[in-house]
């Protein structure tokens, strides 16, 4: 994984073509990059992010950062009750208990 300006890039190596190719994960927009060396793929990732940000600025649009901090979670009513009880016993709200539990995982 690569990180730059708050964006995360996932890289894979294609041994048939001898290139690294990657995609920025944390946006709904499609941002890809490729290179033939580790230095090259890292540079291509940074350039792709910079190009994306510049493109958004030129169009007067906010870059896509889809993580609002809100997560809709579906679970069975039984699990929902069980988690609620655990949160209540710990003296925390359901949201705080889930966040704390995930952070410590």
């Amino acid at each position: 994984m690569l990180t730059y300006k708050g964006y995360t890039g996932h890289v894979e190596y294609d041994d048939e073509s001898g290139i690294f190719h990657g995609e920025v994960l944390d946006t709904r927009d499609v941002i890809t990059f490729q290179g033939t060396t580790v230095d090259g793929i890292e540079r291509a990732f940074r350039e792709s992010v910079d190009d994306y940000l510049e493109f958004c600025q030129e169009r007067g649009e906010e870059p896509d950062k889809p993580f609002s901090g809100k997560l809709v979670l579906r679970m069975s009513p039984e699990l929902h009750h069980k988690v609620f009880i655990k949160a209540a016993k710990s003296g925390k709200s359901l949201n705080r208990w889930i966040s704390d539990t995930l952070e410590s995982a």
Side-chain angles (χ1 to χ4, degrees), residues 16-92:
E16 289 182 20
S17 60
I19 64 167
F20 294 99
H21 59 89
E23 182 176 358
V24 176
L25 299 177
D26 35 12
T27 177
R28 288 180 292 259
D29 294 322
V30 177
I31 307 170
T32 60
F33 50 96
Q34 66 181 28
T36 56
T37 65
V38 172
D39 287 341
I41 195 70
E42 289 175 346
R43 184 173 48 256
F45 168 62
R46 290 189 302 272
E47 289 172 356
S48 290
V49 170
D50 286 340
D51 288 347
Y52 170 69
L53 295 174
E54 184 179 316
F55 176 75
C56 290
Q57 185 176 17
E58 287 172 1
R59 294 186 61 163
E61 298 175 355
E62 284 294 314
D64 186 33
K65 296 287 282 185
F67 299 103
S68 66
K70 297 176 184 175
L71 174 68
V72 176
L73 180 64
R74 288 179 175 72
M75 64 182 81
S76 70
E78 295 80 18
L79 179 57
H80 191 172
H81 181 250
K82 183 178 178 180
V83 171
F84 173 80
I85 295 299
K86 286 185 180 258
K89 284 182 179 179
S90 72
K92 298 177 182 177

Side-chain angles (χ1 to χ4, degrees), residues 1-4 7-11 22-26 33 45 49:
M1 296 289 184
L2 302 171
T3 57
Y4 179 65
Y7 292 91
T8 305
H10 177 271
V11 177
E23 182 176 358
V24 176
L25 299 177
D26 35 12
F33 50 96
F45 168 62
V49 170

